[in-house]
Amino acid sequence: MEYGVSWYPEHKTAADFQHDLDLLGASGFTVVRMAEFAWTCLEPEEGRYTFDWLDQAIDALGDRGIRSILCTPTACPPAWLSAEHPDILYMDNRGVRRPHGGRRSYCYSHPVYREHAARIGAEMARRYGRHPHVLGFQLDNEPAQEGTGRCHCPVCQDAFRIWLKRRFGSVEALNQAGGMVFWNQTYTRFDQVALPVNTIEVQATDLIQAYFENPSLRLWAERFASEQQIEFQNIQVRAMRPETDKPITTNATGLATNSIDAYASCRTLDFYAFDYYPSLLDPISVAPYAFARGVKRQPFWLLEFVSGGGHRLSGSGRSQAWPGALQQSVVHAAANDAALVAHFQFRTFPFGAEQLNYAIVDADGVPRRRFRECSDTAEVLRKLSPWLDNSALDSRVALLFDYDALWALHMKPVNPDFTPLGYLEQLVRELASFGVSADILDARQIPETPKQYRLVVLPALIVFDRESQARLKAYAASGGHVVASFLTSVKNRDNVGYKEPLPSGLQDLFGLAVAEVDPVFPHTVSAVETTGATATCGQTASWLECLELDGAEAWAVVAEGFRRGAAVVARNRFGAGQSWYCGTRLSGAMARAFWQTVLAEAALLVPELTVPLPEGCQLLWRTHRDGTPLLFAFNFTRQDQSIALNGSFTLAVGTQLEQTALSPALDAASCSPAVSLDKAMLKLGPFRWALLRSL
């Protein structure tokens, strides 16, 4: 476990440089991340490199036992490059050329910018690629952030036409695949095609509000832009690989920006890494961690992580954390398989666009509560290291994620209250309430058997191709359990609807067909109830699909109105496995009853947890290599919480636990060896955590 912080030595006076070094040396940090915005400091004019200042920083940190992650500075082109080649600057979907002066102001397709980016990356790798104090390299900074993931400049327009020609071969094939005959959008030459002016990009604005472009063309444009940015990244990778044996990655934006296919992006990278700024006053969502684990199916890096306190760019501020919350957030990330956590940042900026931003140390350089808590956290991580290094997270559930499906649902939303990412997070949270961890996997990489993942969940995968349909059925037939939600397998990879009953290609797997669909608005909500001896009642939300059963068994039906009795949730045996189809968005007691049943039948219920977790608490199970279960428990609330557990436990590591952390048999102060009770009550104070070892 590496623990550290971002630091900007290029900003420092000699006195501040030395002051920060002394604090960093006393902090317990093992890694510092540097240089992502320092191009002019590294190359003040074309071809002249000045690395002495960075040499000094790397060596001074290394003398204090701290290694460096070096970032290629390509997120902010130098003024001399923008002035010499103004056509490298980004053009948005409105045709507005971005001026020099912010960040991410470049076109990722432009050959001149790609050449300069590869050159500075290669120079950095050549100089530091085998330096003993360098841990690895980060490419660029938050690709596609801040409305910079969909360039429309002439270079990109031409590249899009070339991309389409390579994909389809002929304009006739393009017309056929996308249904261009609709609204007379048929093309006769590739040079007639332009990038769509509508956009789903975060922080971008449509040129014409009511202008409905072809959904296939829009999806192709999303895929093209993602591939262009991956190509820009890989040009740097290819330039740097011969010069270094260090790991290379980039800092993605997790489940936030979503303009780049992370699964495809990481094929040439050594780690998936991302930036995450959760609130420190609320339960931290595990969905970004579930996604991070699933990208490369290995531990991940957090290259920018919350630090609390200070201003934001928008001035909305970052609330100061309660004592213990900062440490708990780091331990929580580590328990979720983060192999590196680096706070942003070490010391508050006095100037620039991120002026007075959140940091571990304030602008005056005085170490206060956040610094002391980070130092304590570094020591705690050293105690946790033997447990973390020798254990694996018990993720037995796979949620499938697909960028085409995500983009398609953003282009043509089914309901204003439904967002695919919000639904994905809801499902991860509902599973976590049972102490069950999940990984979010590429929907094109469905497990072949239930050997690792006993349950596969499809959350609104509206785009689902024939190959994926076949893989999913093979998984279920081999004994796997499958849960699919509404809006499953509706369209193909060209964003064109299937012309057969839904879920297309999967009717036999689920033993049913969708008979009728309806968005659920406040005035169309219907009551639903389970069909068992003891009914659980709930309401429809977001979307409703009434199901015609063909071998499946109804688990829940509509309880009122003209649809009364219509199946809305059903289960089916398929080969050696079982499938569930959920035709509406469940919540509350209904969702809990559903997952209780599904997890029980998939043998995934946690035997040590027999009552629901208190609101705001989380459990994470890891298995030690000797087979011993390890339990991380977290309290993200401002009140004392008690978690009822079955079994015998001993306290492995914990922070500021109450004297009766495990009552009555375990005294946290003396760390008595075991809890020899059928039931134990784990008591955690506000923003406290513990690691328990099962006996």
Side-chain angles (χ1 to χ4, degrees):
M1 178 69 186
E2 299 285 351
Y3 184 46
V5 70
S6 298
W7 186 50
Y8 298 86
E10 69 272 24
H11 297 176
K12 308 298 178 181
T13 64
D16 283 340
F17 182 86
Q18 189 59 50
H19 177 84
D20 283 5
L21 280 174
D22 292 341
L23 287 181
L24 285 164
S27 67
F29 290 138
T30 63
V31 67
V32 158
R33 171 178 163 273
M34 298 188 290
E36 76 264 37
F37 302 124
W39 196 333
T40 303
C41 297
L42 295 168
E43 188 182 8
E45 58 187 45
E46 185 170 355
R48 182 169 70 86
Y49 300 100
T50 52
F51 290 111
D52 292 350
W53 65 274
L54 190 54
D55 294 343
Q56 181 186 7
I58 293 169
D59 291 341
L61 290 166
D63 290 343
R64 290 160 174 80
I66 301 172
R67 290 189 290 175
S68 298
I69 295 174
L70 302 182
C71 311
T72 64
T74 54
C76 290
W80 57 259
L81 182 55
S82 299
E84 184 69 22
H85 300 280
D87 55 338
I88 67 166
L89 295 172
Y90 184 94
M91 182 180 287
D92 69 17
N93 60 309
R94 302 166 300 163
V96 176
R97 182 79 73 172
R98 190 153 297 179
H100 181 87
R103 66 174 171 179
R104 312 216 52 78
S105 57
Y106 65 83
C107 168
Y108 42 77
S109 299
H110 202 289
V112 170
Y113 196 71
R114 289 181 168 191
E115 177 186 350
H116 281 270
R119 189 180 304 153
I120 188 67
E123 288 291 335
M124 291 183 73
R126 192 171 298 120
R127 190 174 187 94
Y128 303 114
R130 290 173 175 81
H131 196 294
H133 298 325
V134 171
L135 176 62
F137 292 93
Q138 172 194 303
L139 304 175
D140 205 80
N141 186 73
E142 294 185 342
Q145 180 75 323
E146 297 166 0
T148 61
R150 298 294 180 261
C151 185
H152 281 62
C153 77
V155 171
C156 287
Q157 296 282 3
D158 288 342
F160 182 49
R161 296 173 185 122
I162 293 169
W163 186 90
L164 290 171
K165 190 170 184 178
R166 286 174 179 165
R167 175 178 170 82
F168 294 106
S170 69
V171 72
E172 291 79 14
L174 179 151
N175 289 330
Q176 181 65 31
M180 297 300 170
V181 67
F182 188 83
W183 280 4
N184 195 35
Q185 293 175 354
T186 303
Y187 298 105
T188 58
R189 301 189 313 272
F190 279 103
D191 62 8
Q192 296 167 346
V193 185
L195 285 163
V197 298
N198 286 298
T199 183
I200 59 173
E201 186 175 21
V202 176
Q203 297 176 317
T205 304
D206 282 343
L207 175 63
I208 305 169
Q209 186 172 1
Y211 186 70
F212 304 106
E213 295 173 287
N214 183 281
S216 296
L217 188 68
R218 290 189 64 186
L219 185 59
W220 298 333
E222 295 294 315
R223 205 176 295 151
F224 156 77
S226 173
E227 290 181 13
Q228 288 295 105
Q229 289 168 97
I230 294 170
E231 191 176 274
F232 170 72
Q233 163 198 288
N234 289 342
I235 285 171
Q236 293 188 62
V237 173
R238 289 193 294 271
M240 296 172 69
R241 283 283 185 212
E243 309 294 343
T244 183
D245 55 1
K246 311 287 186 184
I248 299 174
T249 187
T250 189
N251 59 332
T253 51
L255 291 171
T257 305
N258 285 299
S259 294
I260 300 175
D261 183 334
Y263 299 106
S265 167
C266 278
R267 288 173 192 149
T268 61
L269 302 178
D270 296 295
F271 291 93
Y272 176 71
F274 74 110
D275 299 346
Y276 189 27
Y277 291 91
S279 167
L280 291 176
L281 296 180
D282 302 292
I284 294 176
S285 171
V286 294
Y289 297 144
F291 178 74
R293 286 193 302 270
V295 172
K296 289 184 77 71
R297 303 198 190 187
Q298 67 183 42
F300 56 88
W301 285 4
L302 269 174
L303 286 172
E304 289 184 23
F305 192 55
V306 64
S307 58
H311 298 248
R312 275 190 82 185
L313 295 179
S314 61
S316 59
R318 291 278 187 177
S319 298
Q320 294 285 1
W322 274 45
L326 190 62
Q327 180 178 121
Q328 179 172 241
S329 71
V330 175
V331 173
H332 183 249
N336 273 285
D337 265 2
L340 180 150
V341 175
H343 294 289
F344 183 85
Q345 55 163 318
F346 183 62
R347 186 169 172 183
T348 299
F349 300 131
F351 43 61
E354 295 184 90
Q355 181 185 65
L356 304 180
N357 215 338
Y358 34 84
I360 300 302
V361 176
D362 295 322
D364 59 10
V366 177
R368 296 186 175 91
R369 178 165 64 92
R370 294 191 303 276
F371 178 84
R372 292 191 294 271
E373 191 164 319
C374 285
S375 296
D376 292 342
T377 301
E379 179 59 30
V380 165
L381 290 174
R382 281 189 283 274
K383 293 178 181 178
L384 281 173
S385 182
W387 301 100
L388 291 169
D389 294 347
N390 293 289
S391 66
L393 193 70
D394 291 338
S395 292
R396 306 298 304 280
V397 179
L399 282 83
L400 303 186
F401 183 80
D402 185 90
Y403 281 89
D404 286 347
L406 174 71
W407 295 332
L409 279 169
H410 277 301
M411 290 169 196
K412 291 183 72 67
V414 297
N415 193 324
D417 85 338
F418 180 77
T419 63
L421 289 179
Y423 185 52
L424 181 70
E425 292 223 12
Q426 174 189 329
L427 297 180
V428 174
R429 186 170 60 251
E430 288 171 349
L431 290 166
S433 72
F434 287 90
V436 173
S437 294
D439 293 342
I440 299 175
L441 306 184
D442 186 348
R444 302 190 197 211
Q445 301 296 322
I446 297 169
E448 294 182 2
T449 70
K451 181 178 180 181
Q452 178 178 356
Y453 298 104
R454 287 193 52 79
L455 174 62
V456 167
V457 182
L458 285 67
L461 291 188
I462 194 169
V463 173
F464 205 62
D465 57 38
R466 297 300 189 194
E467 182 180 352
S468 297
Q469 293 165 9
R471 289 175 63 94
L472 186 66
K473 288 192 279 191
Y475 165 80
S478 70
H481 292 248
V482 175
V483 170
S485 80
F486 50 94
L487 296 172
T488 290
S489 198
V490 178
K491 302 183 188 181
N492 66 17
R493 288 287 172 192
D494 289 314
N495 209 14
V496 172
Y498 287 118
K499 295 188 290 184
E500 64 188 54
L502 303 179
S504 178
L506 299 174
Q507 303 97 322
D508 55 342
L509 171 59
F510 296 105
L512 54 80
V514 175
E516 187 171 85
V517 304
D518 205 11
V520 178
F521 300 114
H523 63 284
T524 62
V525 170
S526 297
V528 291
E529 61 184 8
T530 59
T531 58
T534 303
T536 301
C537 299
Q539 290 184 325
T540 58
S542 297
W543 190 254
L544 172 63
E545 294 178 1
C546 293
L547 312 174
E548 290 180 345
L549 306 185
D550 184 15
E553 171 193 1
W555 184 84
V557 297
V558 179
E560 63 183 0
F562 71 91
R563 295 190 177 104
R564 183 180 178 86
V568 69
V569 181
R571 58 181 159 193
N572 186 51
R573 299 298 304 180
F574 187 83
Q578 180 161 282
S579 66
W580 294 78
Y581 193 92
C582 190
T584 193
R585 186 175 189 173
L586 302 177
S587 61
M590 194 86 170
R592 182 157 189 89
F594 174 75
W595 287 116
Q596 179 89 29
T597 306
V598 170
L599 294 172
E601 295 189 1
L604 289 171
L605 285 178
V606 177
E608 292 85 353
L609 183 66
T610 57
V611 297
L613 280 169
E615 189 72 25
C617 291
Q618 291 180 14
L619 297 182
L620 287 171
W621 291 91
R622 298 178 69 91
T623 301
H624 197 272
R625 63 173 58 182
D626 65 7
T628 302
L630 303 176
L631 172 61
F632 278 91
F634 301 93
N635 175 13
F636 290 103
T637 75
R638 304 175 202 186
Q639 295 83 35
D640 292 343
Q641 297 285 2
S642 296
I643 302 173
L645 298 172
N646 278 339
S648 299
F649 298 86
T650 184
L651 181 67
V653 184
T655 57
Q656 299 182 39
L657 294 173
E658 299 297 326
Q659 284 288 311
T660 54
L662 283 172
S663 67
L666 176 62
D667 183 334
S670 60
C671 288
S672 300
V675 179
S676 302
L677 296 177
D678 291 334
K679 291 186 178 181
M681 189 65 71
L682 172 62
K683 295 181 179 179
L684 291 172
F687 299 100
R688 295 295 184 258
W689 62 275
L691 170 60
L692 307 177
R693 179 166 60 88
S694 179
L695 299 179

